Amino acid sequence: MTEMVYGTAPIRAGEPVLPRWWRTVDKWSISCILLLFGVGMLLGLAASPPLAEKNGFDAFHYVERQAVFGVAALVAMLVVSTMPPDLVRRAGVVGFAAAFVALALLPILGTDFGKGAVRWYSLGFASVQPSEFLKPAFVVLAAWLMAAGQEVNGPPGRTISLAVALVVVAFLAMQPDFGQAALVLFAWGVMYFVAGASLVLLVGLAGAVVFAGVVAYQNSEHFARRIDGFLSPEIDPRTQLGYAVNAIQEGGIFGVGVGEGQVKWSLPDAHTDFIIAVAAEEYGLILVLAIIALYLTVVLRALYRLTRERDGFIRLAGTGLACSFGVQALINMGVAVKLLPAKGMTLPFVSYGGSSIIASGIALGALLALTRTRPQGEIGDLLRRGGRA
């Protein structure tokens, strides 16, 4: 009866998993993700050889590692994208528990690699950053709690999800990792807004975040140094930000030419946090706009497909994953042009980094799984029929 009222998407009895996946997944988004990975490899070829030479490795050491990480991320993305929503939810909850335990143990077992923030586990041959995997898992967990809270006699899901978010943010702030903490709060706020939060409450939460920022500024030298650098009208040309801004200015519209850029010889993080500066210097504004267009396409197509979804969990989790993906890219590029304070955040699927790219693959796989076409009615059907069951 429900199918007669709401309508269904086409389904073929006995259809194998892979053909059904290919027929229902968003192919435009997959294409954009593959292009982003290709751009990342191209920029890695330009940005990483100087650092590899400095560290005594082969010229393409970091490129080869990025290729291995990227293939693992794409495989993870494709596997996760074949999962049904209920399996995505269960995997997200279990993944959150594992990532949170790993995050909590960082002060005891973690390392800072000389960067002043204990964010990683050293495995000898590689390192793992738990916060990267925590982000998508938290989004799924929070979406499940909020969706459960919308049910009749459901638990106080919004309140519980807020408590979880604050605990996660507290652990991230202790590293310190204020960038990831801000991203977690942003994802929670977006989902809370979609779930129907009042504007007064959101304004109050924004005020609380500002107050927390003031406290952090007064008590954290790491945080204060970055804010002071951002607010300063002058840019020290000897800092990473100074090198990045100069490279972007030198690149202009068409760039200085492939392999002709100089910033990669000065920036220690040219292949990670500031890789957009390498893109802007060697390929110019044209490539930067193309990269922005790829991120926008993934985010906007996901949000468009989610507007037709009736399931509360899918709408919330998909929105949180899509917006987190887009905002992380926005933050990374905003830092490079001094529109935002430095946060040490990678450019998803483009920057070098094992934890970052594999976690991004898992997150995008979940997003693709949640935005697949399924044999169910859409929210528009319900609205047009006046909510009749």
Side-chain angles (χ1 to χ4, degrees), residues 101-157:
V101 170
L103 183 73
L105 292 176
L106 272 176
I108 303 173
L109 304 175
T111 182
D112 63 355
F113 289 110
K115 296 185 178 182
V118 182
R119 302 176 184 175
W120 300 271
Y121 287 104
S122 177
L123 304 180
F125 61 92
S127 61
V128 177
Q129 187 174 354
S131 62
E132 292 286 356
F133 298 93
L134 185 72
K135 287 183 299 184
F138 167 77
V139 168
V140 173
L141 173 68
W144 173 51
L145 290 170
M146 291 184 188
Q150 293 176 334
E151 298 176 359
V152 178
N153 297 323

Side-chain angles (χ1 to χ4, degrees), residues 28-257:
W28 279 96
S29 292
I30 291 179
S31 300
C32 290
I33 294 164
L34 293 176
L35 285 172
L36 284 171
F37 175 61
V39 169
M41 293 299 298
L42 176 67
L43 296 177
L45 288 169
S48 63
L51 183 64
E53 179 181 320
K54 178 181 178 181
N55 292 336
F57 298 123
D58 294 335
F60 299 112
H61 170 79
Y62 292 108
V63 178
E64 292 168 357
R65 288 172 64 87
Q66 182 72 348
V68 173
F69 294 143
V71 170
L74 292 174
V75 170
M77 181 185 75
L78 295 177
V79 170
V80 174
S81 68
T82 63
M83 295 180 178
D86 59 337
L87 186 54
V88 171
R89 184 184 67 245
R90 295 187 191 116
V93 173
V94 173
F96 175 83
F100 182 76
V101 170
L103 183 73
L105 292 176
L106 272 176
I108 303 173
L109 304 175
T111 182
D112 63 355
F113 289 110
K115 296 185 178 182
V118 182
R119 302 176 184 175
W120 300 271
Y121 287 104
S122 177
L123 304 180
F125 61 92
S127 61
V128 177
Q129 187 174 354
S131 62
E132 292 286 356
F133 298 93
L134 185 72
K135 287 183 299 184
F138 167 77
V139 168
V140 173
L141 173 68
W144 173 51
L145 290 170
M146 291 184 188
Q150 293 176 334
E151 298 176 359
V152 178
N153 297 323
R158 297 179 184 178
T159 303
I160 297 174
S161 68
L162 175 59
V164 173
L166 294 177
V167 171
V168 170
V169 166
F171 274 95
L172 289 172
M174 286 190 297
Q175 293 182 357
D177 192 348
F178 297 107
Q180 299 286 18
L183 200 57
V184 166
L185 279 179
F186 169 80
W188 181 87
V190 167
M191 290 187 291
Y192 203 22
F193 176 77
V194 173
S198 67
L199 183 60
V200 174
L201 179 58
L202 289 176
V203 171
L205 290 172
V209 170
V210 172
F211 176 76
V214 172
V215 173
Y217 179 83
Q218 294 174 341
N219 295 276
S220 171
E221 182 181 349
H222 174 82
F223 186 80
R225 185 170 59 252
R226 293 197 170 190
I227 295 298
D228 289 340
F230 171 69
L231 295 177
S232 174
E234 301 294 332
I235 300 177
D236 188 344
R238 297 166 297 178
T239 62
Q240 293 206 87
L241 181 59
Y243 289 127
V245 171
N246 181 68
I248 293 171
Q249 292 173 344
E250 291 292 327
I253 297 178
F254 300 105
V256 299

